[in-house]
Amino acid sequence: MRVAHLVDTLHPADGEYGLPALAGAAAGAGLELVVVALTGSGGRRAEALRAAGAVVVEEGLAPWDPRAVPALLDTLRAHRAQLVHTHAPNADVVGAAAGTRLRIPVFSTLHRIEEEPAGRLDRLRRAAKTTARARFVTRTIAVSRLQVDWYRRVAGSAHGLVVLPDGVTDPAPLPDRARTRAALQVGADDVLVVSAAPMRRGKGQDLLLDAVAALPEDLGVRVVLTGDGPLRPWLEARVGREEELTGRVSFRPLPDPAALLQAADLQVHVTRTDVMPTAAVRGLAAGIPAVTGRTGGLPEIVTRETGRTVPLDADAVAEAVAELAADPALRARLGDAARARYLDRFEAGGWAERLRALYASTTR
C-alpha cells in the first residue's frame, strides 16, 4: 500500500512526527511511504527519511500557498498514492482537499492539544477545522487517550477517532556502555540520570535542577541534560553558580539521545505539558526506569511497573530519584518492565503494522 504522509515542513525546528521511525519499519508492514513537505528546507531530516526507504518530495511553497492543492494533486497522481495521511494544520486542509478530489481515504493525526482559543476569530477557526475534519477526513488518529476527551469537548463527538500512539525505532545495542559513561565522567558506582528534552519553557529543566539541589550530598548521582534551545545558556549559568549543582550536572546537546539513554540508569522527564513525548518512549526502549510528572500523556507511557509518576514538585521528584538511585535491584526490575512495555506498545514495527491494518479497514 502506497501512502503519502503530508507535513507542513521538514525544517529542523518543526516536528518530525516520528516519520523516520515509520519509514524504517514500513516495508515490513507492507507500506510504501511518500513523504510530502509543502515547504522546503528538509536538509538532514529529508536525508534521514530517504535513508530509511521513503520517497521525499518537497513542494517548496510558502505557508498557506493557494497553489498547494494543485501541486499535491500532481504529486499524488505521479506517485500513485492510495491514501493521504496528514500531520499538521496546513497539511490537514491541503491533504483533505486533495484526497477528496481524488476520492482516496484521508487520515489525520492529532499531535497536540490546542489551547483554548484566545478570541472569537480563533474560536471560529477551530470550529471550521473541526467541521472540515468531520466531513472530509476518513479517520482521525489520536496519539494519546488524553486527546480523546479534549477532542470530544471541541467536536461534540469522538466519532471516527481512534487512539494509536506513535512508535520509535528499537535502538542499536550500545557497543561499549562503560566507555560512554567514562566519557561523561560517570564513576562505576554512580547513578547516571538523563533528561532528554528541548531546553525551552515548559520542559521542566528548571524543576529538575531544583530537585537535584535537594538530593542528599552523599548520593552518587550524576545528571546529564541533552538537547538544546533558548534556555540552555540560563541553565548552564545556574549550574555554574550553584555549588549543589556544579560537578553533578553536565550538558551534552546530542542530536540523538538514544545512545545516552542506553548508558543511563534512570531518566527524568518532568515537562509541564506533553501529549506523548518521544523522549519518554525512548527511555522505555532503552530499558531504563523513569521519573516523570503526571501531566499530559506521560501516565500512558510510564506506569508504576516501569518507573515513578510524581507531582511537579522538586521534593517529590528528588524523593523518587533518591529511591531509585539507592536500589539497583528495583531499577533493574523496572527497567525490564519498561523494555517489555516498549516492545508491546511502542516498537516501530508494531506501530507500522497497526497503521497498515487501520488503513486497510477503509480501503477494502
Side-chain angles (χ1 to χ4, degrees):
M1 179 183 294
R2 187 172 290 112
V3 181
H5 282 261
L6 184 63
V7 297
D8 287 352
T9 178
L10 291 172
H11 191 279
D14 196 58
E16 62 176 301
Y17 308 117
L19 291 178
L22 181 60
L31 297 174
E32 298 176 51
L33 260 61
V34 180
V35 177
V36 184
L38 294 175
T39 65
S41 303
R44 189 163 56 194
R45 283 190 175 171
E47 292 173 6
L49 285 163
R50 291 188 179 102
V55 174
V56 178
V57 178
E58 297 183 80
E59 302 288 5
L61 302 171
W64 302 102
D65 193 310
R67 297 171 296 175
V69 172
L72 180 60
L73 285 169
D74 289 344
T75 297
L76 296 177
R77 290 186 181 112
H79 292 279
R80 303 192 309 274
Q82 298 167 270
L83 186 147
V84 181
H85 191 150
T86 67
H87 295 273
N90 187 18
D92 290 344
V93 174
V94 175
T100 301
R101 184 83 61 87
L102 294 177
R103 297 184 180 180
I104 59 176
V106 179
F107 282 64
S108 176
T109 294
L110 300 170
H111 290 279
R112 56 182 61 88
I113 290 176
E114 295 182 15
E115 300 295 336
E116 286 299 317
R120 182 172 179 271
L121 182 58
D122 285 340
R123 287 194 294 273
L124 289 173
R125 284 173 177 164
R126 194 170 75 172
K129 285 192 292 184
T130 301
T131 300
R133 184 182 295 277
R135 182 173 180 182
F136 298 112
V137 173
T138 310
R139 288 285 188 278
T140 295
I141 299 174
V143 298
S144 163
R145 289 193 298 271
L146 181 75
Q147 292 173 306
V148 175
D149 291 338
W150 166 78
Y151 189 79
R152 185 181 289 112
R153 290 197 306 271
V154 172
S157 168
H159 179 72
L161 185 69
V162 296
V163 179
L164 181 57
D166 289 356
V168 302
T169 301
D170 199 357
L174 192 62
D176 193 336
R177 187 172 185 268
R179 185 174 181 178
T180 300
R181 289 168 65 91
L184 296 168
Q185 299 182 329
V186 176
D189 296 326
D190 288 336
V191 174
L192 175 57
V193 176
V194 168
S195 170
M199 296 181 190
R200 58 175 183 260
R201 288 187 64 184
K203 295 303 180 180
Q205 288 92 352
D206 54 335
L207 174 61
L208 173 56
L209 294 185
D210 290 342
V212 174
L215 289 172
E217 292 182 10
D218 60 350
L219 191 64
V221 169
R222 296 293 179 267
V223 179
V224 174
L225 276 65
T226 185
D228 211 341
L231 289 185
R232 182 183 165 198
W234 179 85
L235 293 166
E236 289 180 323
R238 178 179 172 185
V239 169
R241 69 173 178 264
E242 296 184 19
E243 62 180 64
E244 296 93 347
L245 303 175
T246 303
R248 206 174 214 181
V249 178
S250 60
F251 295 79
R252 294 290 188 277
L254 304 176
D256 182 2
L260 191 56
L261 287 167
Q262 288 185 85
D265 301 295
L266 178 64
Q267 182 184 31
V268 175
H269 197 85
V270 286
T271 55
R272 291 179 173 85
T273 175
D274 247 328
V275 173
M276 186 59 65
T278 301
V281 178
R282 287 189 176 127
L284 294 182
I288 59 173
V291 174
T292 74
R294 296 169 181 160
T295 55
L298 282 166
E300 298 177 44
I301 302 171
V302 177
T303 67
R304 184 72 184 176
E305 289 72 36
T306 67
R308 297 290 182 262
T309 59
V310 298
L312 292 180
D313 171 81
D315 289 338
V317 174
E319 182 179 348
V321 169
E323 177 200 7
L324 297 180
D327 194 336
L330 175 59
R331 291 201 308 274
R333 186 166 68 252
L334 296 175
D336 288 345
R339 176 71 181 167
R341 184 168 177 79
Y342 160 73
L343 292 172
D344 179 57
R345 294 177 59 87
F346 299 105
E347 191 268 329
W351 174 37
E353 290 173 0
R354 288 187 283 273
L355 264 180
R356 174 68 170 81
L358 187 59
Y359 294 154
S361 70
T362 66
T363 56
R364 293 188 181 119

